[in-house]
């Protein structure tokens, strides 16, 4: 029997890799997308077929976590077996500037989705399974290594909202016996990472500076340490959580941590440049309260799900730099033909 999955946040980094994974496993995949004034499906375009083609396995529907009516209608129409809630205002620095909006989408949006799940499960009689995208940002100030037993001490409106969403999920699991798995994922990156997250901001800049398209890279705190993994490895863990016999919560991490400085060293070494000549510190990229050190212990996921990361830190940085060098070469060709090229990752204060 073909399984049907509903992915909220399908246009994001993780959503696009998850859609690829599910399609490769024979799923019919439905995604929720937001209406935007420009198309926002770049990360999915290689997967998308004309919906009028009866063989297409990927369908997109307009909806939003801020509106339960749309989520309810989509769920009733699609009749999913598995729901992946990856939708979020996912930028930590932006959450300090838009705290109410972040809480509404991340915490309340999850609660809205849970209410839809509750009613849909009862009406359909299906044993529906839901994945919730939790975050290591929930651990915040708790010292490393962090695992499923570590106390949450979030340090941003985003982290607080993710912690609220986590507990809503635990509560719905206990109250209504629903299958809901919380993934507690540490940072994961890829060539599809948004360009205002530090990893991609660095690899985009390395490529552009190498080709003379950018002069400086403005950053904030270089001392923060993160457990950086590879996004395709992370989405595999999401799927494994929903195939597990019991609904549970799992930390997903590489078990290695590096500083932003280490990331700069590796990325600029790959393009043969000394980053200290280009990087400038800009206070607007600092956070009112910072998460200093994340280092995950994913022993539970290794034992129960058989999950392990396939790509290490060096492999991750190399993949991203190689990809962004090619992008920079394309931009250079455009620039040489008279087009203007803007380093958009440095546009806004986030
Ligand atoms: P992302 O690239 O920022 O993607 C977020 C997705 O959520 C996008 O598809 C976005 O749509 C959608 N979205 C935003 N607001 C929405 C709303 N109001 N209603 C419905 N959808 C909405 O994030 P990601 O890196 O793929 O991360 C996926 C999930 O995992 C997020 O919940 C994130 O908080 C969480 N997480 C990420 C990491 C990480 O390191 N990547 C680690 C732990 C947890 P648009 O494309 O239209 O903006
Ligand atoms: N974004 C950004 N931009 N971060 C910077 C910069 C900069 O110019 N300079 C230094 N940093 C530091 C941040 O202060 C932070 O300590 C670290 O780099 C990583 O920042 P991000 O890449 O923005 O990621 P994050 O750790 O805040 O959040 C990401 O990971 C979480 C999981 O721990 C996001 O993907 C969240 O959605 C996710 O939940």
């Amino acid at each position: 029997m073909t399984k049907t999955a509903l992915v909220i946040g399908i246009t994001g980094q993780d959503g696009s890799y998850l859609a690829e994974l599910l399609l490769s496993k024979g799923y019919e995949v439905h995604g929720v997308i937001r209406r935007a004034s420009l198309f926002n499906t770049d990360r999915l375009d290689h997967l998308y077929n004309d919906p009028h083609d009866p063989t297409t396995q990927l369908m997109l529907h307009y909806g939003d976590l801020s509106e339960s009516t749309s989520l309810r209608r989509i769920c009733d129409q699609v009749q999913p077996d598995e729901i992946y809630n990856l939708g979020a205002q996912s930028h930590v620095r932006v959450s300090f500037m838009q705290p109410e909006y972040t809480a509404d989408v991340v915490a309340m949006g999850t609660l809205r989705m849970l209410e839809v799940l509750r009613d849909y499960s009862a009406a359909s009689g299906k044993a529906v399974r839901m994945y919730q995208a939790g975050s290591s940002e929930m651990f915040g100030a708790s010292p490393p290594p962090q695992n499923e037993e570590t106390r949450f001490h979030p340090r941003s409106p985003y982290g607080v909202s993710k912690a609220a969403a986590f507990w809503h999920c635990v509560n719905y699991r206990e109250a209504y016996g629903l299958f809901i798995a919380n993934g507690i994922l540490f940072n994961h990156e890829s060539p599809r990472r948004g360009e205002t997250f530090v990893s991609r901001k660095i690899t985009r800049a390395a490529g552009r500076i190498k080709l003379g398209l950018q002069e400086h890279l403005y950053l904030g705190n270089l001392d923060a340490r993160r457990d950086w993994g590879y996004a395709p490895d992370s989405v595999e863990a999401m799927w494994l959580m929903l195939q597990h016999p019991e609904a549970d919560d799992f930390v997903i991490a590489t078990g290695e941590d590096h500083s932003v400085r280490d990331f700069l060293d590796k990325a600029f070494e790959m393009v043969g440049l000394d980053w200290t000549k280009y990087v400038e510190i800009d206070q607007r990229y600092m956070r009112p309260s910072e998460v200093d050190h994340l280092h995950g212990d994913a022993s539970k996921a290794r034992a129960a799900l058989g999950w392990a990361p396939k790509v290490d830190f060096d492999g991750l940085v190399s993949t991203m730099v190689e990809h962004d060098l090619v992008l920079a070469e394309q931009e250079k060709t455009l620039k040489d033909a008279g087009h203007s090229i803007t380093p958009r990752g440095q546009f806004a204060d986030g």
Side-chain angles (χ1 to χ4, degrees), residues 8-15 34 40 43 63-66 86-90 101 105 133-135 158 162 185-189 193 197:
I8 302 152
I10 197 166
T11 55
Q13 170 190 251
D14 292 4
R34 302 192 294 164
N40 57 359
R43 294 185 177 106
D64 199 300
L65 281 165
S66 62
L86 313 183
Q89 187 303 92
S90 72
Y101 173 74
V105 171
S135 164
Y158 167 83
K162 279 289 182 187
L185 271 60
F186 283 62
N187 298 50
H188 44 276
E189 321 293 314
R193 185 59 144 154
F197 295 97

Side-chain angles (χ1 to χ4, degrees), residues 13 88-93 133-138 158 162 185-189 193 196-201 217-228 260 282 285-287 290-292 294 345 350:
Q13 170 190 251
Q89 187 303 92
S90 72
H91 202 284
V92 172
R93 180 72 182 88
S135 164
S136 53
E137 187 70 15
M138 301 187 297
Y158 167 83
K162 279 289 182 187
L185 271 60
F186 283 62
N187 298 50
H188 44 276
E189 321 293 314
R193 185 59 144 154
T196 61
F197 295 97
V198 78
S199 60
R200 191 80 199 288
K201 200 167 155 181
L217 169 59
Y218 296 98
L219 292 175
N221 176 16
L222 306 188
D223 296 321
R225 300 189 73 86
R226 291 290 182 274
D227 182 326
W228 276 296
V260 174
D282 184 336
Y285 299 118
M286 299 287 184
R287 289 150 191 210
E290 175 65 290
V291 170
D292 295 322
L294 293 175

Side-chain angles (χ1 to χ4, degrees), residues 281-343:
I281 303 301
D282 184 336
Q283 291 301 319
R284 71 183 178 151
Y285 299 118
M286 299 287 184
R287 289 150 191 210
S289 46
E290 175 65 290
V291 170
D292 295 322
H293 195 170
L294 293 175
H295 175 122
D297 166 10
S299 319
K300 181 175 166 184
R302 281 178 192 258
L305 306 176
W307 178 86
K310 298 186 186 85
V311 174
D312 65 6
F313 180 71
D314 284 2
L316 170 69
V317 182
S318 313
T319 303
M320 292 177 71
V321 171
E322 277 163 22
H323 177 274
D324 285 344
L325 260 177
V326 173
L327 267 191
E329 277 157 15
Q330 291 168 355
E331 285 178 336
K332 179 145 186 3
T333 307
L334 284 173
K335 190 176 181 210
D336 292 345
H339 294 271
S340 71
I341 298 296
T342 313

Side-chain angles (χ1 to χ4, degrees), residues 12-73:
Q13 170 190 251
D14 292 4
S16 65
Y17 285 116
L18 180 65
E20 266 171 27
L21 180 77
L22 295 172
L23 289 168
S24 75
K25 291 183 182 296
Y27 278 67
E28 181 177 303
V29 178
H30 294 261
V32 174
I33 61 164
R34 302 192 294 164
R35 192 268 161 183
S37 66
L38 288 171
F39 284 114
N40 57 359
T41 55
D42 290 14
R43 294 185 177 106
L44 291 175
D45 288 346
H46 64 294
L47 299 174
Y48 197 62
N49 283 330
D50 184 343
H52 305 96
D53 174 350
T55 65
T56 189
Q57 288 292 99
L58 172 64
M59 268 76 59
L60 302 178
H61 311 266
Y62 282 115
D64 199 300
L65 281 165
S66 62
E67 189 196 53
S68 53
T69 314
S70 59
L71 300 173
R72 196 172 286 276
R73 285 206 189 107

Side-chain angles (χ1 to χ4, degrees), residues 197-207 209 214 216-224 228 258-281 313-314 317-318 321 346:
F197 295 97
V198 78
S199 60
R200 191 80 199 288
K201 200 167 155 181
I202 292 172
T203 60
R204 280 299 261 143
I209 291 171
Q214 185 175 329
H216 301 292
L217 169 59
Y218 296 98
L219 292 175
N221 176 16
L222 306 188
D223 296 321
W228 276 296
H258 298 270
S259 66
V260 174
R261 243 175 252 282
D262 295 337
F263 205 109
L264 281 163
D265 281 340
K266 180 75 196 158
F268 276 74
E269 178 194 300
M270 277 199 67
V271 295
L273 297 175
D274 172 3
W275 63 265
T276 61
K277 294 189 177 141
Y278 307 97
V279 170
E280 296 194 7
I281 303 301
F313 180 71
D314 284 2
V317 182
S318 313
V321 171
Q346 305 193 130

